Amino acid sequence: MNQQWWHSAVVYQVYPRSFCDSSGDGNGDLKGVISKLDYLEKLGIDLIWLSPVYLSPMKDNGYDIADYQAIDPRFGDMNDMRQLIHQAKQRNIGIMMDLVLNHTSDQHHWFKQAKQSRDNPYRDYYIWRDQTNQIRSIFSGPAWQYDPVTSQYYFHLFADAQPDLNWENPAVAKEIHQMISWWVEQGVAGFRLDVIDLIGKEIDQGITENGPRLHPLLQQMHQACFKGKKLVTVGETWGATPEIAKLYSDPRREELSMVFQFEHAALDWHPEHGKWQVQDFDLIALKKVLSKWQTAFDGDGWNALFWNNHDLPRIVSRWGNDGEYREASAKLFATLLHGMQGTPYIYQGEEIAMTNVQFAELSDYDDIEIKNSYQEKVVEQQSLSHQQFMQGVYQSARDNARTPMQWDNSDNAGFSCGQPWLKLNPNYQQINVANALANQHSVFYHYQRLIALRKSSKYSDTLVYGSYQLLLEEHSHIFAYIRQYKEQRLLIVANVSQQTQTLSLDFKLAEVVLDNLQPEDESKVGVDLAQLNLAPYQAIIYLLAD
Ligand code: NOJ
């Protein structure tokens, strides 16, 4: 495999509105991010994926962009952006911008023009039809919005304030390429491409995802913007299978570095109600999915590894235990993920095991997806009761990940001295960065150790490039796998349950590399795994000697 610098990189996602507010207006901002760069350097990350900071009416928290080349005043200005890029670079941290290319805001000047008349030069930047079809918006309701001024419908896969761009129009591709190249000139290290699998759509055929024009469009983009540059790119692709993922990330095809696949992330969703009614966690199913992805590529693709992002609930609440075993289970999921092959992504707050939140009222929530889904499922269809829906919100809603970052136990968790745009999780009194940094056994230091193992230890090659082999496939509580590179073999074994598990593995003379419950035992040697007792949520990395 051709080695790339981003194979061994670790990425940290910042959701800027909720990260750190320097101005006191209740919204996080770029100066706030700059003020936390030392913290991120201490964690050991290489890249920051910065969720959108562009000018936006914030109908979908910045995923509705009104100007790709301007910073929203809530976040600061272009000088702050340049400072962020510069100051991060001084700490060997690169900035990945979030490119939302499937749609813009309805406040983008292209759309404002397009709406004016059917023969406006920008009309064809968007998708207009005299009649609608059956396609539904991902944020509920029809994907078509009637425009009375020009008596046509425009297409929007997300909110009606997020009209889809028409990628069949070469002028759109040209403008977007110029914009991306401009960001490259500003010195960014790469890009995350929002719902990129939707840009090749064939609407009249009813095809939205993985359309026929998708890969040619990405190849053009690569030629125009990425080729020959030291950049990393990751696509958000909810509909990817391993075969599809290779189309994006096989280096010979010159499209993207890697993609986020979501097969594991949607495993417990209900067939009809999706995330609003989750089903029991099934470890065997999770192992199957992740192992399939671990073994899918042999140099013709690369995995992006993640449990969390701004669209998903917190892993420790979802599949871990956010009560008695919060720290242990958070470290366990960290160990499992960082032990795998691929580029790991950490979402802000994950490194201190921030949890889901339960607000009493629907009005305490901000997310447009929650509001639209409530309207559809509870009010219109009455397919879920209010209580059922709120249960779904507590388990899966996106705002679980978006409550402000918990820095310390002062007012508003040190996030802001103003009124935060979204309420805090009240548990910030205990769960916060200051507490984590003060305790050598905290989740933070476990992440720091995992990152250091991957990047600069005698195990780095094995962790980054080693092969993967699942053990105990049908065990419903143990997740165990081997990574091997040349002669070196690492065993990652984790007890994903609240009961002690005893197991017998056919390996002798193992050495403990990292134990989530006893970090001080790092040098334990000569362990015989024939009789292994794993405490609740214990996760250990062993070096195997035989
Ligand atoms: C995916 C983003 O991650 C999500 O937050 C957003 O709402 C949609 N794309 C629309 O841009």
Side-chain angles (χ1 to χ4, degrees):
M1 184 188 307
N2 270 344
Q3 303 199 347
Q4 302 288 345
W5 63 272
W6 39 264
H7 285 162
S8 56
V10 177
V11 187
Y12 185 94
Q13 183 189 353
V14 167
Y15 194 67
R17 201 168 181 197
S18 302
F19 193 61
C20 179
D21 172 20
S22 74
S23 69
D25 72 351
N27 295 291
D29 48 39
L30 292 173
K31 285 201 172 85
V33 181
I34 294 170
S35 74
K36 299 298 180 185
L37 285 172
D38 288 341
Y39 167 74
L40 297 177
E41 185 184 26
K42 185 177 170 89
L43 183 59
I45 55 116
D46 305 277
L47 291 159
I48 294 172
W49 153 20
L50 188 65
S51 277
V53 289
Y54 318 94
L55 187 69
S56 167
M58 296 283 159
K59 293 272 164 56
D60 186 20
N61 272 342
Y63 286 90
D64 47 327
I65 297 175
D67 185 341
Y68 291 98
Q69 288 172 246
I71 301 297
D72 193 276
R74 286 176 191 82
F75 296 127
D77 58 23
M78 200 50 83
N79 264 337
D80 298 330
M81 190 66 224
R82 291 201 183 96
Q83 268 303 314
L84 172 62
I85 295 169
H86 175 69
Q87 300 242 11
K89 217 172 250 173
Q90 288 187 324
R91 294 166 176 83
N92 289 321
I93 295 175
I95 302 291
M96 293 169 76
M97 298 302 279
D98 206 325
L99 290 174
V100 187
L101 307 179
N102 175 67
H103 46 270
T104 66
S105 159
D106 61 357
Q107 299 307 304
H108 196 291
H109 83 92
W110 297 340
F111 191 71
K112 287 186 177 167
Q113 292 271 335
K115 270 179 83 169
Q116 282 178 6
S117 68
R118 289 192 184 202
D119 56 8
N120 186 282
Y122 288 97
R123 183 75 172 177
D124 207 22
Y125 274 42
Y126 296 88
I127 300 163
W128 300 89
R129 295 287 184 275
D130 292 327
Q131 278 168 353
T132 65
N133 63 10
Q134 77 299 347
I135 301 179
R136 313 262 312 157
S137 156
I138 293 164
F139 284 167
S140 308
W144 297 97
Q145 179 69 25
Y146 188 65
D147 170 44
V149 178
T150 56
S151 310
Q152 276 191 317
Y153 297 86
Y154 68 85
F155 185 77
H156 60 91
L157 272 174
F158 293 89
D160 53 10
Q162 292 167 296
D164 278 38
L165 284 165
N166 175 18
W167 277 86
E168 283 181 29
N169 178 357
V172 168
K174 201 169 159 210
E175 297 248 25
I176 295 281
H177 294 169
Q178 281 170 358
M179 174 276 287
I180 297 176
S181 299
W182 182 83
W183 276 108
V184 173
E185 281 163 27
Q186 308 310 305
V188 300
F191 301 96
R192 177 258 187 189
L193 291 85
D194 189 67
V195 289
I196 199 65
D197 51 356
L198 304 179
I199 67 168
K201 57 181 87 71
E202 288 274 4
I203 300 221
D204 302 317
Q205 281 18 282
I207 301 171
T208 53
E209 205 174 58
N210 296 317
R213 296 169 38 75
L214 170 60
H215 294 284
L217 284 170
L218 284 173
Q219 283 165 359
Q220 280 172 21
M221 191 184 292
H222 185 103
Q223 293 300 321
C225 312
F226 309 144
K227 197 175 169 74
K229 314 245 164 65
K230 189 179 177 241
L231 292 169
V232 57
T233 50
V234 55
E236 186 199 20
T237 61
W238 280 79
T241 60
E243 286 315 308
I244 294 175
K246 285 180 203 172
L247 298 177
Y248 295 101
S249 63
D250 182 339
R252 289 164 298 198
R253 293 175 50 85
E254 304 198 312
E255 294 189 17
L256 302 177
S257 311
M258 62 189 124
V259 293
F260 293 121
Q261 64 83 19
F262 289 85
E263 230 186 310
H264 66 298
L267 257 186
D268 54 3
W269 289 6
H270 187 270
E272 183 192 344
H273 298 299
K275 63 164 65 171
W276 307 115
Q277 207 168 70
V278 297
Q279 311 185 82
D280 288 345
F281 173 52
D282 178 350
L283 181 69
I284 296 178
L286 178 69
K287 290 194 288 189
K288 281 205 173 108
V289 168
L290 290 180
S291 302
K292 177 178 79 183
W293 282 88
Q294 281 295 290
T295 50
F297 310 122
D298 185 17
D300 53 3
W302 188 252
N303 274 300
L305 306 169
F306 68 100
W307 297 123
N308 289 285
N309 65 33
H310 63 292
D311 294 330
L312 297 172
R314 298 276 181 185
I315 188 64
V316 68
S317 301
R318 185 181 193 182
W319 294 333
N321 176 312
D322 62 9
E324 185 183 351
Y325 297 109
R326 184 181 64 85
E327 299 223 328
S329 65
K331 291 177 189 171
L332 172 144
F333 278 98
T335 307
L336 282 173
L337 192 96
H338 288 252
M340 289 188 188
Q341 191 190 74
T343 299
Y345 289 71
I346 301 166
Y347 178 69
Q348 67 183 43
E350 180 184 333
E351 78 282 11
I352 56 163
M354 277 176 64
T355 69
N356 282 356
V357 73
Q358 300 195 359
F359 295 136
E361 305 297 331
L362 193 70
S363 55
D364 291 329
Y365 290 89
D366 170 87
D367 182 12
I368 187 168
E369 186 189 50
I370 302 179
K371 294 187 172 154
N372 288 5
S373 300
Y374 186 87
Q375 182 63 22
E376 185 175 82
K377 294 201 169 281
V378 183
V379 179
E380 288 161 18
Q381 299 171 350
Q382 301 186 354
S383 55
L384 289 177
S385 69
H386 174 81
Q387 282 76 9
Q388 283 172 319
F389 188 83
M390 290 308 284
Q391 201 51 40
V393 168
Y394 296 157
Q395 290 183 300
S396 311
R398 307 195 298 180
D399 278 348
N400 284 305
R402 299 176 181 186
T403 58
M405 182 73 183
Q406 297 167 196
W407 294 105
D408 56 38
N409 64 5
S410 68
D411 287 351
N412 297 329
F415 160 71
S416 170
C417 58
Q419 178 67 33
W421 71 278
L422 181 65
K423 280 181 158 182
L424 286 118
N425 191 322
N427 65 19
Y428 74 83
Q429 297 285 349
Q430 292 79 42
I431 303 173
N432 60 56
V433 168
N435 280 348
L437 291 179
N439 170 8
Q440 276 305 314
H441 293 172
S442 69
V443 179
F444 176 91
Y445 290 111
H446 191 71
Y447 272 88
Q448 190 191 53
R449 289 186 187 103
L450 287 167
I451 295 170
L453 279 181
R454 171 172 288 258
K455 285 178 45 193
S456 51
S457 77
K458 56 183 175 173
Y459 311 112
S460 298
D461 283 342
T462 307
L463 287 168
V464 176
Y465 292 110
S467 63
Y468 172 98
Q469 187 201 347
L470 181 67
L471 305 177
L472 306 171
E473 200 174 329
E474 297 302 326
H475 199 299
S476 33
H477 300 301
I478 299 289
F479 197 156
Y481 57 84
I482 304 248
R483 301 290 310 283
Q484 174 156 12
Y485 186 80
K486 296 188 178 151
E487 297 305 307
Q488 191 179 74
R489 282 190 307 162
L490 295 175
L491 164 70
I492 289 88
V493 56
N495 172 8
V496 194
S497 84
Q498 294 181 34
Q499 292 81 38
T500 299
Q501 303 287 336
T502 303
L503 55 148
S504 176
L505 293 169
D506 201 11
F507 304 112
K508 292 194 173 128
L509 295 176
E511 182 179 327
V512 176
V513 175
L514 185 61
D515 179 341
N516 70 334
L517 300 188
Q518 290 165 313
E520 63 276 10
D521 265 13
E522 274 166 38
S523 59
K524 204 154 121 194
V525 290
V527 185
D528 183 350
L529 300 179
Q531 171 80 6
L532 179 62
N533 282 319
L534 288 175
Y537 294 107
Q538 188 164 23
I540 306 177
I541 304 179
Y542 288 105
L543 174 67
L544 297 178
D546 59 345

